[in-house]
Amino acid sequence: DAGITQSPRHKVTETGTPVTLRCHQTENHRYMYWYRQDPGHGLRLIHYSYGVKDTDKGEVSDGYSVSRSKTEDFLLTLESATSSQTSVYFCAINGQKNTEAFFGQGTRLTVV
Amino acid sequence: GENVEQHPSTLSVQEGDSAVIKCTYSDSASNYFPWYKQELGKRPQLIIDIRSNVGEKKDQRIAVTLNKTAKHFSLHITETQPEDSAVYFCAATAAGNKLTFGGGTRVLVKP
């Protein structure tokens, strides 16, 4: 497996609370991504990063923020969790343009 | 931004038959098209990819074709086996290396 780990793997939280998911890589890859996966919607891009402190929005970025203060870590924050953010979240990395992206194991988040 | 459409959403085939999944994309600047397989409860994993300067690529029972003019690409699986049962995703990469996925196809291979 590529050196990518997500934490936590499972989380249950209450509506209105802040939540931070972490993606950690040991590959020194430039690009990092956060996706959410929901039945019937496939993998939808939330935010991605193309370098330290360089991030951009994806197609479903509302309600999410990200930070990348060092190459190895990409954090996804839900400032005030809502039930619509219940999902499986995947982080992915790749080192160069137009190359294979490696996925983390996923984080199952439930907002009650 | 890029939009990737994938069809069909579900596909049931008899073991030994072929399976074809089709995708279209909207951004003519897209130049990299990977396919991922996701087994139940697992992470997506790359099975094959193709770049815009190539029309077809094959790897054992799997092949991908690309028509840049029509902006569509397809995955072909021949001699399907039960272990091919999974969800398959197509994707396209455009400017900035942003990877956009199709909605996925659930493939069921019946023995």
Side-chain angles (χ1 to χ4, degrees):
Chain A
D1 289 345
I4 174 172
T5 56
Q6 292 182 228
S7 58
R9 295 292 314 281
H10 303 272
K11 186 170 182 65
V12 179
T13 192
E14 293 185 350
T15 299
T17 60
V19 177
T20 295
L21 308 183
R22 182 187 185 221
C23 179
H24 178 77
Q25 60 140 331
T26 58
E27 305 295 322
N28 201 36
H29 279 353
R30 176 182 177 186
Y31 299 95
M32 299 185 76
Y33 310 79
W34 276 109
Y35 292 90
R36 61 177 289 174
Q37 185 171 33
D38 306 288
H41 291 279
L43 293 155
R44 292 183 291 175
L45 183 64
I46 306 171
H47 282 280
Y48 81 112
S49 171
Y50 46 96
V52 173
K53 298 186 179 179
D54 290 324
T55 65
D56 199 0
K57 295 179 179 180
E59 60 184 303
V60 291
S61 59
D62 288 349
Y64 302 94
S65 63
V66 289
S67 67
R68 191 167 179 201
S69 59
K70 46 187 178 177
T71 300
E72 56 266 36
D73 288 325
F74 193 31
L75 304 180
L76 177 71
T77 297
L78 291 66
E79 300 292 346
S80 178
T82 67
S83 59
S84 65
Q85 294 176 311
T86 292
S87 186
V88 177
Y89 291 85
F90 282 100
C91 175
I93 62 174
N94 66 359
Q96 299 175 28
K97 287 185 178 181
N98 301 332
T99 59
E100 178 177 0
F102 297 94
F103 283 80
Q105 321 97 301
T107 295
R108 183 174 295 278
L109 176 68
T110 302
V111 183
V112 298
Chain B
E2 175 67 278
N3 183 49
V4 179
E5 301 275 346
Q6 182 171 347
H7 299 280
S9 57
T10 60
L11 181 60
S12 182
V13 297
Q14 208 65 41
E15 182 177 357
D17 288 349
S18 295
V20 180
I21 303 170
K22 299 183 179 182
C23 290
T24 60
Y25 61 97
S26 61
D27 189 343
S28 56
S30 290
N31 50 20
Y32 174 64
F33 307 91
W35 287 86
Y36 285 79
K37 176 182 180 182
Q38 185 179 29
E39 298 176 343
L40 191 62
K42 302 284 185 63
R43 72 189 84 186
Q45 293 193 299
L46 183 78
I47 54 171
I48 194 167
D49 57 12
I50 191 167
R51 290 174 176 79
S52 58
N53 58 346
V54 175
E56 184 174 355
K57 184 176 178 181
K58 191 173 181 180
D59 183 3
Q60 298 183 352
R61 297 186 297 108
I62 293 173
V64 58
T65 58
L66 171 65
N67 183 329
K68 283 220 74 178
T69 302
K71 289 190 282 188
H72 66 71
F73 55 114
S74 300
L75 177 72
H76 304 252
I77 306 173
T78 59
E79 300 172 18
T80 53
Q81 301 169 5
E83 53 264 38
D84 294 329
S85 294
V87 179
Y88 292 81
F89 293 98
C90 62
T93 299
N97 207 39
K98 191 184 293 189
L99 190 60
T100 301
F101 285 84
T105 298
R106 184 174 300 279
V107 174
L108 175 63
V109 179
K110 296 181 288 186

